[in-house]
Amino acid sequence: MNQYLNQSVEVLKGIGEETAETLSEMKIHTIQDLLEYFPYRYEDYRLRDLSEVKHEEKVTVEGEVHSEPSLVYYGRKKSKLTIRLLVGRYLIKAVFFNQPYLKKKMIINETVTVTGKWDAHRQTITGQELQLGSNTKQHDFEPVYSLKGKITKKGMRKFISLAFQQFGGYIEETLPETLLHKYRLLGRRECIKAMHFPGNQEDVKQARRRLVYEEFLQFQLKMQGLRKFEREHSPGIKQDYDLEKLQEFINNLPFPLTNAQKRVVNEVLTDMLSPYRMNRLLQGDVGAGKTVAAAIALYASCTAGFQGALMVPTEILAEQHADSLKQLFESFAIRCELLTSSVKGKRRKEILAELAAGNINILIGTHALIQDEVSFKRLGLVITDEQHRFGVEQRRVLREKGENPDVLFMTATPIPRTLAITVFGEMDVSVIDEMPAGRKKIETYWSKPEMLERVLGFVEKELIKGHQAYIICPLIEESDKLDVQNAIDVHTALSHYFQNRYHVGLMHGRLSSEEKDSVMKAFSLNEVQVLVSTTVVEVGVNVPNATIMVIYDAERFGLSQLHQLRGRVGRGSDQSYCILLANPKSETGQERMRIMTETNDGFVLSEKDLELRGPGDFFGKKQSGIPEFKVADMVHDYRALETARNDAALLIQSHYFWKAPEYSNLRNQLEISGILEGEKLD
């Protein structure tokens, strides 16, 4: 750490105890913190020709006062001052609200400079700032900082200016000459100066470009370093599977693999052959065929003489997986068993004994798999489905049931590439981004709530054909704060609407696991035709006979969640439908509904969702896994993120990176972060 830049901000003239305390609240403690406290935007005071200015754009103009200003009062203490200005060849109006005192300052033929919003239709500028005389701003481009307490815009600029004058010479370069040259990046000192004191927009662009790359590179080096460290300190098992048997199994599948499935299976099998422990995330949209990829990996492990485990979040999902895997392995002498909390007594003891003896090849279950009594003879592969539903601790316990088994996490929540690279940077990521042939697209419609009668009529047409329906609501019970449909009220209303014709079930998060399973089972068996539910049905359950889903107050859900919900239908061979009941007030809400009706691609939706909501809200809660960058933006700077990730991966694997003096500052960052845990990688 640079001793000069690590000094307290109080060494600067004008920063006393009180100011230092306010700066501390802004996370500014040292000179370095102050120099790296970058503006969040810039005010553009350049004078431009009005013919180039877009409607409603902010602009600064310089002109002569052409006639007497007009001042009109309306309401209490409200006023409107209108001035006619001659700006070049244009005669325009400048309007100032609630600043009547400006009238006295306006003298005909005198020059004034006005900054405000340009209305191209009315040829009017709504003034936000006024300066008498010509534009005397020091810079055309002025930084705007996020401030607190008594710290002013002017004060902040003064502190940064002082810090730069006194300590700017001590700013060290962190990037090696090779990378600076390769990407034509500004030096670090020059870059920090340009962020705070830019001459023009290009200065900011180039400075930002360098800082974005540097932030991403440092972060990715930590992630790739962690990955290398984990990998080399977690010796795995080399699974020499029987390729002939595996090929025969794949050829016997009831349908051909898609190209995406083939690619992912090859990635997983390559990991299993290596001596390192597999740590891979498999993403695939709803219905893309992740289970088949998992089955191939489990079979490969069995042919290598190991056992496999598949852990899923709910009992009903475990039962469905167990049924489908038993069918796939029927003629291949592979024994699959199901273990959930419902498996009790003699049957449970029998399964546990057979598992420990190695007579069970694949065990499928819920978190019951991680109970102390569960013991494998030779566990080689652990697959966790919908991995975000299990805590880190639960996943670790299952992994420890074997001697460093290979680990595959699966999720049907499409995570945008940018987030996958950032949040799961220490894992390998595989994506099944292609749907099996012949799958019908779910038709999605957006209806206003007042069309509910027609929507229910449409639902009934599907029920008459013998199909089933999901009705999704955002809340369980009525809320005083939110005027949104709640599951209990909707269940009551629909039970009345469909009475004596169809059974209406109710499902929500406050039911116990047993109650949820019982409701889902009744729906799976078509004992319940209409299921009113909150979002608890989002993951996993497969009811091919359900062909229609209605989502109340759809604007209250994010795109990814709407897509997950929609994926509960369209699982059989019949055409399926999703109807979004929504009356969004905001443009973002309307945009969400429009996007949902236009695409069924979960990855396209997840990228759009990330753009609309930002990374912090993407997972529903602010996740600690998402880093906060000072300048970089994962969504808009994704190309730089990918470049930095590729560079970091190459550097971490290169011996030169660990030895060469030019990389010492980047290596220091790894040690500071504690990634290396005191050990040098080589």
Side-chain angles (χ1 to χ4, degrees):
M1 181 64 82
N2 186 310
Q3 60 178 30
Y4 296 102
L5 300 185
N6 205 28
Q7 295 179 85
S8 162
V9 284
E10 291 186 65
V11 300
L12 292 176
K13 192 179 173 188
I15 298 185
E17 208 173 302
E18 192 185 335
T19 307
E21 211 169 291
T22 310
L23 288 171
S24 167
E25 286 170 30
M26 295 158 67
K27 297 186 179 158
I28 300 172
H29 310 284
T30 64
I31 297 295
Q32 179 153 333
D33 294 337
L34 185 60
L35 289 172
E36 290 180 7
Y37 192 78
F38 298 119
Y40 68 91
R41 66 180 172 87
Y42 296 84
E43 291 283 15
D44 186 352
Y45 291 108
R46 288 172 302 164
L47 297 176
R48 288 155 66 201
D49 189 317
L50 283 171
S51 63
E52 297 167 6
V53 182
K54 293 188 188 115
H55 178 58
E56 295 207 324
E57 201 178 344
K58 194 170 181 183
V59 68
T60 297
V61 297
E62 190 179 284
E64 286 177 14
V65 178
H66 187 261
S67 54
E68 273 301 321
S70 139
L71 179 62
V72 178
Y73 284 93
Y74 60 98
R76 216 168 140 253
K77 292 187 179 173
K78 289 185 177 176
S79 67
K80 178 182 174 183
L81 177 68
T82 307
I83 309 151
R84 293 173 80 77
L85 291 180
L86 190 60
V87 179
R89 59 187 188 276
Y90 299 97
L91 184 62
I92 69 165
K93 283 181 189 171
V95 175
F96 290 87
F97 289 98
N98 308 324
Q99 297 177 68
Y101 53 87
L102 292 178
K103 184 179 179 185
K104 291 177 184 169
K105 298 184 178 181
M106 300 297 164
I107 300 161
I108 294 177
N109 297 334
E110 288 286 305
T111 300
V112 291
T113 306
V114 179
T115 300
K117 194 189 273 186
W118 175 239
D119 184 329
H121 310 316
R122 293 194 173 97
Q123 299 280 290
T124 300
I125 187 166
T126 304
Q128 290 161 355
E129 280 184 50
L130 173 80
Q131 190 186 318
L132 300 177
S134 292
N135 188 17
T136 56
K137 288 278 180 194
Q138 239 180 330
H139 301 286
D140 287 339
F141 230 64
E142 248 180 40
V144 181
Y145 299 91
S146 180
L147 302 170
K148 266 191 176 178
K150 293 180 182 173
I151 295 176
T152 61
K153 186 164 74 170
K154 197 175 171 187
M156 192 68 186
R157 285 187 197 150
K158 191 182 100 183
F159 298 148
I160 290 170
S161 181
L162 273 173
F164 201 83
Q165 284 166 29
Q166 289 177 42
F167 300 101
Y170 298 109
I171 295 170
E172 291 174 358
E173 185 50 73
T174 48
L175 295 178
E177 192 56 48
T178 24
L179 290 176
L180 291 172
H181 182 72
K182 181 180 179 181
Y183 298 119
R184 297 194 180 94
L185 300 174
L186 293 180
R188 198 158 203 280
R189 183 175 183 276
E190 191 187 349
C191 163
I192 288 174
K193 185 180 181 183
M195 286 295 280
H196 294 298
F197 318 107
N200 53 44
Q201 202 163 9
E202 187 59 26
D203 286 357
V204 175
K205 186 181 165 188
Q206 291 306 325
R208 194 181 174 281
R209 188 171 153 263
R210 183 239 147 91
L211 286 169
V212 165
Y213 175 74
E214 179 182 9
E215 280 196 300
F216 282 151
L217 182 69
Q218 287 177 346
F219 176 74
Q220 285 298 329
L221 281 170
K222 288 173 191 173
M223 294 303 262
Q224 300 291 326
L226 179 65
R227 186 171 161 200
K228 181 178 163 79
F229 183 77
E230 283 269 308
R231 192 176 165 98
E232 294 178 2
H233 290 74
S234 308
I237 39 183
K238 189 172 185 293
Q239 303 204 43
D240 287 308
Y241 51 81
D242 187 320
L243 192 56
E244 264 180 52
K245 282 186 180 176
L246 197 58
Q247 203 56 61
E248 188 194 345
F249 176 70
I250 292 169
N251 293 341
N252 269 291
L253 287 169
F255 33 75
L257 295 179
T258 62
N259 289 328
Q261 282 174 314
K262 286 176 189 168
R263 185 186 68 240
V264 164
V265 165
N266 282 329
E267 288 167 354
V268 170
L269 293 176
T270 303
D271 279 359
M272 288 170 71
L273 268 179
S274 91
Y276 298 118
R277 181 166 63 77
M278 170 164 70
N279 186 27
R280 187 171 285 278
L281 173 72
L282 168 55
Q283 291 190 69
D285 214 336
V286 176
K290 295 183 298 300
T291 311
V292 173
I296 294 168
L298 287 165
Y299 185 64
S301 191
C302 293
T303 68
F306 292 95
Q307 292 166 296
L310 171 61
M311 183 162 76
V312 298
T314 65
E315 287 209 6
I316 191 157
L317 196 53
E319 285 170 21
Q320 287 183 345
H321 274 311
D323 289 343
S324 56
L325 289 177
K326 278 175 183 172
Q327 280 174 16
L328 287 175
F329 293 127
E330 208 167 19
S331 48
F332 288 89
I334 293 293
R335 185 173 166 195
C336 298
E337 289 293 352
L338 172 72
L339 186 70
T340 65
S341 51
S342 299
V343 180
K344 295 186 169 78
K346 190 180 169 191
R347 179 81 185 118
R348 188 179 187 85
K349 279 183 183 162
E350 196 181 288
I351 288 175
L352 293 174
E354 293 281 271
L355 185 72
N359 299 331
I360 292 172
N361 305 100
I362 297 166
L363 189 66
I364 302 120
T366 54
H367 55 272
L369 298 192
I370 59 177
Q371 306 296 316
D372 289 345
E373 57 183 347
V374 179
S375 173
F376 291 81
K377 185 178 185 190
R378 202 173 181 222
L379 182 60
L381 175 64
V382 171
I383 301 180
T384 312
D385 194 14
E386 290 308 332
Q387 59 95 20
H388 62 282
R389 289 295 183 97
F390 295 104
V392 175
E393 189 59 21
Q394 289 173 309
R395 300 200 297 260
R396 184 188 61 76
V397 173
L398 181 57
R399 203 169 64 221
E400 287 176 358
K401 294 278 180 190
E403 297 286 322
N404 285 320
D406 285 326
V407 180
L408 181 66
F409 301 112
M410 301 200 300
T411 180
T413 307
I415 300 160
R417 188 164 168 70
T418 43
L419 270 189
I421 287 174
T422 314
V423 182
F424 301 105
E426 82 285 8
M427 295 169 98
D428 294 297
V429 180
S430 289
V431 180
I432 301 183
D433 50 7
E434 181 184 357
M435 279 300 187
R439 233 183 127 118
K440 289 193 173 102
K441 184 183 169 201
I442 300 164
E443 289 185 15
T444 305
Y445 302 102
W446 167 22
S447 292
K448 295 286 170 73
E450 51 267 30
M451 294 172 72
L452 181 60
E453 278 294 320
R454 281 179 64 187
V455 169
L456 291 177
F458 186 56
V459 170
E460 188 142 15
K461 277 183 187 168
E462 285 298 299
L463 297 176
I464 289 165
K465 291 178 193 170
H467 295 148
Q468 289 164 272
Y470 288 101
I471 312 284
I472 306 296
C473 312
L475 290 174
I476 299 171
E477 295 165 350
E478 197 170 344
S479 157
D480 296 334
K481 292 180 188 163
L482 293 170
D483 179 26
V484 288
Q485 294 294 337
N486 59 81
I488 291 170
D489 280 2
V490 170
H491 176 256
T492 307
L494 293 185
S495 298
H496 182 70
Y497 182 89
F498 289 119
Q499 71 182 359
N500 305 325
R501 303 197 307 285
Y502 302 103
H503 286 109
V504 181
L506 175 63
M507 170 102 142
H508 55 69
R510 288 204 199 145
L511 298 179
S512 67
S513 298
E514 290 77 17
E515 288 170 320
K516 279 183 204 160
D517 281 344
S518 152
V519 173
M520 265 335 292
K521 195 161 269 178
F523 190 61
S524 305
L525 298 170
N526 202 355
E527 290 164 7
V528 163
Q529 288 75 46
V530 179
L531 182 61
V532 176
S533 175
T534 56
T535 54
V536 288
V537 296
E538 196 179 321
V539 170
V541 183
N542 192 17
V543 183
N545 194 45
T547 58
I548 187 158
M549 169 170 282
V550 178
I551 304 176
Y552 279 81
D553 299 303
E555 71 270 26
R556 294 195 53 75
F557 300 102
L559 281 173
S560 291
Q561 198 174 23
L562 287 171
H563 180 63
Q564 284 295 301
L565 289 165
R566 174 169 64 183
R568 296 301 101 224
V569 294
R571 296 180 152 248
S573 53
D574 297 300
Q575 179 59 56
S576 289
Y577 308 90
C578 176
I579 298 169
L580 308 167
L581 279 175
N583 193 9
K585 303 286 186 283
S586 69
E587 274 181 41
T588 305
Q590 289 164 16
E591 176 77 347
R592 266 192 212 146
M593 296 306 109
R594 192 184 58 71
I595 294 165
M596 277 300 291
T597 59
E598 284 174 6
T599 180
N600 269 256
D601 185 322
F603 288 96
V604 170
L605 285 167
S606 71
E607 291 288 352
K608 291 278 185 194
D609 206 15
L610 187 60
E611 284 171 32
L612 292 173
R613 294 163 69 192
D617 294 327
F618 186 81
F619 288 109
K621 294 188 185 85
K622 193 92 171 164
Q623 287 227 345
S624 56
I626 301 170
E628 288 194 11
F629 298 109
K630 287 181 180 174
V631 181
D633 177 312
M634 283 161 29
V635 182
H636 298 108
D637 302 317
Y638 70 94
R639 284 198 181 88
L641 175 60
E642 298 218 324
T643 304
R645 185 190 195 221
N646 296 337
D647 289 347
L650 290 171
L651 287 174
I652 288 289
Q653 294 307 325
S654 133
H655 282 283
Y656 184 68
F657 172 74
W658 299 104
K659 304 281 186 291
E662 67 168 330
Y663 287 106
S664 62
N665 277 332
L666 285 175
R667 286 199 302 273
N668 290 343
Q669 286 294 318
L670 286 179
E671 284 174 27
I672 290 163
S673 71
I675 293 291
L676 307 189
E677 296 180 9
E679 293 190 45
K680 278 277 191 291
L681 299 172
D682 35 59

